[in-house]
Amino acid sequence: MKKRELKISFEEYSNLEDLNTEDRSLLDQAIESVNKAYAPYSQYYVGAALKLKSGEVVTGNNQENVAYPSGLCAERVAIFYASSQFPKMEVETIAITAKTDQFEMDDVVAPCGACRQVLSEYEIKQKKPIRVMLHADGGKVLIFDSIKSILPLMFHAEELKK
Ligand code: THU
């Protein structure tokens, strides 16, 4: 038996003012998108903004349903919409943020497992990493250089061929 370690490195900004103009603008669009979320059951509002290589920005937010599992997270709303509109898209960065007035947020919002899996599909498809920017209302910003960093040991198509 061998003990192994997986290391993930990421950038941490204590303030969104410290981001470069392009990242700041993308995050601002995610923050704006939060206000259009439909989350009457959790009152937890999430926004995602995708920057495509073409320069296009696509946003999405969480859409809940009274039959709870029928709702969808902001990240999947955004990326499914983006792919449906721009099937040849290349995603450079996804910015994700959240807001609630139910409690004080002291950490970033981290995408759920299903969203990480869905995002990984597009990263593999485009053969280029998707940067991930995580934020929450009033807090710090974390930047990861790929979906792989937040989904180590991911299931991928090669597994189906073995
Ligand atoms: N949610 C997202 O939209 N993205 C995440 O990364 C985490 C969770 C949504 C799903 C649900 O509408 C609400 O947040 C509470 O879980």
Side-chain angles (χ1 to χ4, degrees), residues 42 44 46 62 64 73-75 109-112:
S42 69
Y44 187 85
V46 186
N62 52 330
E64 296 188 346
C73 294
E75 297 88 328
V109 57
C112 75

Side-chain angles (χ1 to χ4, degrees), residues 5-9 111-113 116-117 120 123-124 144 146-156 159:
E5 260 179 41
L6 281 172
K7 265 196 186 164
I8 302 166
S9 50
C112 75
R116 293 178 201 212
Q117 180 65 36
S120 80
E123 180 169 272
I124 290 166
F144 297 81
S146 74
I147 304 297
K148 210 173 172 186
S149 300
I150 58 165
L151 188 61
L153 305 176
M154 61 169 69
F155 182 78
H156 51 82
E159 313 261 3

Side-chain angles (χ1 to χ4, degrees), residues 23-102:
D23 285 344
R24 175 64 200 270
S25 157
L26 190 66
L27 186 53
D28 281 344
Q29 290 176 81
I31 292 169
E32 222 176 283
S33 181
V34 159
N35 299 317
K36 298 180 192 152
Y38 177 64
Y41 304 105
S42 69
Q43 274 131 51
Y44 187 85
Y45 306 94
V46 186
L50 295 162
K51 171 85 196 299
L52 308 186
K53 197 180 169 196
S54 61
E56 235 34 86
V57 171
V58 174
T59 60
N61 37 61
N62 52 330
Q63 298 295 317
E64 296 188 346
N65 191 277
V66 63
Y68 290 3
S70 303
L72 201 60
C73 294
E75 297 88 328
R76 274 176 286 166
V77 168
I79 201 150
F80 286 153
Y81 179 72
S83 179
S84 69
Q85 297 305 302
F86 309 103
K88 293 188 178 134
M89 69 172 185
E90 204 178 284
V91 184
E92 290 182 343
T93 306
I94 179 168
I96 306 160
T97 187
K99 186 166 116 178
T100 185
D101 48 19
Q102 304 295 103

Side-chain angles (χ1 to χ4, degrees), residues 131-149:
R131 290 171 73 237
V132 184
M133 206 188 315
L134 305 181
H135 172 256
D137 197 24
K140 62 186 174 192
V141 181
L142 306 184
I143 301 183
F144 297 81
D145 57 14
S146 74
I147 304 297
K148 210 173 172 186
S149 300

Side-chain angles (χ1 to χ4, degrees), residues 2-33:
K2 278 183 193 162
K3 285 242 179 196
R4 295 282 183 84
E5 260 179 41
L6 281 172
K7 265 196 186 164
I8 302 166
S9 50
F10 55 92
E11 297 166 14
E12 178 174 328
Y13 297 82
S14 49
N15 199 305
L16 72 176
E17 316 294 328
D18 300 336
L19 294 173
N20 66 39
T21 325
E22 209 178 304
D23 285 344
R24 175 64 200 270
S25 157
L26 190 66
L27 186 53
D28 281 344
Q29 290 176 81
I31 292 169
E32 222 176 283
S33 181

